[in-house]
Every structure is written in structure tokens, then in C-alpha cells.
Amino acid sequence: MYWALLKPFRRSYTKYLGGTVVRQGMLVLGGYSMVWAIRLCLGHRSVPVWWFIAALVVFDTLYLQIDLGLNQLFARQLSFPMFARLRTSALEKTFEMPLEWHQRQTSGALVAKVNEGIGRVVQTAESLGRDLCPSLIRTAMTLVPLLI
């Protein structure tokens, strides 16, 4: 069911997950690079500290640009279009119901139920893409150096 829901968004979702792998890799690398920079500064006094600070600022700027780009991609190509598509299809199904069914229902309550259900589905898809997948990717990347 979930994969059928994502079928129209598969290309954008794949692009988002690829960017998430890069972002999580940079996050893990950022943690290791800070330790590396401190060890080099303490071990080699001939290298100016400002070079490391400049390199870390460039790294952080690049990370921030990737993060903002992924957030825009998710909002523009996944979250809002998914909500719109689900809501449109739910309303189409509602309009296909017989007239007697509509007369028994309260329109405000019906719209509230549809919006709540769609909101939950979209929230589940967002949680999977924005919370669970990045955490799993980061955990796997963190475990790899520990296992080597």
C-alpha cells in the first residue's frame, strides 16, 4: 500500500533519499573532521588554526546548502503534492458515492474525517522520509567505522 502511494513520487523520493545519504554522510564526516582538526592543531603547531576554521566554515556552508535544498525538494515535490493528490482522489471517491449516502452524512464532519485521514497518511510518509530513513542511514554510517 505504501509503495503504491509513493509510485507517482518515486523519482523525487529517490532523489531525496540520495541527498539524505549525502547529508548524513557529511554529518558523520563533520564529527570526525572536528576531531581530526583538533588533533592536527595540537600535534602540528606549524599549521595555522585559521585554516581549519575556514575549512570548517566552508564545510558547514556546504552542509547547510544541501540541507536547505533537501527541505525545499521535500516540501515542493513530495509533501504538498502528495497531500493534494490524496485529497483530490479522496474527494473523487466521495463524489462517486450514491446520493442517498450523501444525504445521510454531514458534509462538515465528512470533510473533517477525510482531511484527518489524509493528514495522517502524509504525516506517516513524512516521518518515514524525514526521521526514520536519515536516522537509519546515519546509524549505518556510524557503525561502519566501528566494525572495521
Side-chain angles (χ1 to χ4, degrees), residues 82-91 94 107-123:
M82 187 183 301
F83 183 81
R85 182 174 182 273
L86 286 173
R87 186 164 184 198
T88 303
S89 64
L91 288 175
T94 303
S107 61
L110 181 64
V111 170
K113 287 178 186 177
V114 167
N115 283 339
E116 182 181 347
I118 292 169
R120 287 183 181 179
V121 170
V122 171
Q123 185 179 20

Side-chain angles (χ1 to χ4, degrees), residues 17-92:
L17 287 178
T20 300
V21 169
V22 171
R23 181 179 62 189
Q24 296 305 318
M26 287 183 71
L27 188 65
V28 172
L29 182 67
Y32 288 122
S33 66
M34 188 63 77
V35 172
W36 177 70
I38 290 171
R39 285 186 181 180
L40 279 177
C41 285
L42 293 176
H44 303 289
R45 300 277 182 196
S46 62
V47 179
V49 176
W50 297 108
W51 286 104
F52 292 107
I53 293 172
L56 291 174
V57 166
V58 168
F59 180 83
D60 193 45
T61 303
L62 182 63
Y63 177 79
L64 184 63
Q65 291 298 317
I66 289 173
D67 192 43
L68 290 173
L70 285 173
N71 287 337
Q72 285 181 348
L73 175 98
F74 197 87
R76 290 182 181 170
Q77 295 182 13
L78 291 170
S79 182
F80 292 129
M82 187 183 301
F83 183 81
R85 182 174 182 273
L86 286 173
R87 186 164 184 198
T88 303
S89 64
L91 288 175
E92 284 175 356

